[in-house]
Amino acid sequence: MVDVTLNVNGRSYRVRVEPRRTLADTLRDDCGLTGTHLGCEHGVCGACTILVDGQPVRSCLMFAVQCEGMELRTVEGLADGEQLHPIQQAFWENHGLQCGFCTPGFLMLAVGFLEENPDPNDGELRAVLSSNLCRCTGYQNIVKAVRQAAIAMRR
Ligand code: FES
Ligand code: FES
């Protein structure tokens, strides 16, 4: 077992984990941050996407022991109290989710992308979003939501 300190959403979590324990399992089971979802557990679906030092990463493909000293952001860190993040607001207003299982991964993917590329064209936006899987929405409303969030985040 290895002691690791994870910095998640500006808070420190001291955890003791086996070296083989994934970041996704550690966030959910050891830190109690169950907003990060696991769909496939082998890097295909993107449901487990979080930001690691600002970059969208599939947390089922990282080990917790790799993340000491890194800045992690999960879906729990998006809202500011009762105030939704623009990406959350946009998903709500555009009906960007149905069952919502894929949503945390899409939100974190989109935030990481828009923070790096605030004014994407449609092709760039669709290319990035195609890396995550949604079984419910047909993607149109997700694309609309991220377009709206891009405008809101530029203000
Ligand atoms: S659970 Fe990580 S990509 Fe599917
Ligand atoms: S909203 Fe159900 S999987 Fe995407």
Side-chain angles (χ1 to χ4, degrees):
M1 300 289 265
V2 182
D3 289 321
V4 189
T5 302
L6 297 179
N7 179 10
V8 193
N9 304 326
R11 242 192 84 182
S12 278
Y13 294 81
R14 187 90 181 140
V15 294
R16 173 162 288 194
V17 292
E18 289 185 45
R20 64 177 180 166
R21 191 155 179 77
T22 68
L23 176 58
D25 284 340
T26 306
L27 288 169
R28 289 179 55 83
D29 300 337
D30 301 285
C31 304
L33 296 167
T34 53
T36 298
H37 290 170
L38 283 158
C40 65
E41 299 190 67
H42 57 247
V44 175
C45 72
C48 65
T49 303
I50 67 161
L51 299 184
V52 177
D53 285 344
Q55 298 295 317
V57 159
R58 295 178 179 219
S59 59
C60 71
L61 295 184
M62 273 191 97
F63 297 116
V65 293
Q66 294 176 278
C67 299
E68 176 95 45
M70 291 175 165
E71 191 188 314
L72 310 179
R73 285 165 66 196
T74 68
V75 70
E76 287 89 349
L78 286 182
D80 182 5
E82 294 291 301
Q83 180 73 41
L84 294 179
H85 186 283
I87 191 76
Q88 294 171 307
Q89 187 71 32
F91 265 66
W92 183 13
E93 289 176 11
N94 291 281
H95 196 47
L97 62 148
Q98 287 182 31
C99 81
F101 192 84
C102 68
T103 308
F106 271 105
L107 296 178
M108 300 318 289
L109 175 72
V111 166
F113 173 58
L114 292 177
E115 286 180 353
E116 207 166 275
N117 183 357
D119 193 11
N121 64 38
D122 236 46
E124 291 170 324
L125 201 146
R126 285 172 186 275
V128 165
L129 293 178
S130 71
S131 63
N132 280 24
L133 302 180
C134 173
R135 285 178 283 188
C136 306
T137 65
Y139 297 88
Q140 275 313 112
N141 291 341
I142 294 176
V143 172
K144 267 166 46 189
V146 178
R147 246 191 238 125
Q148 178 180 309
I151 296 166
M153 285 171 67
R154 286 202 297 273
R155 282 193 195 123

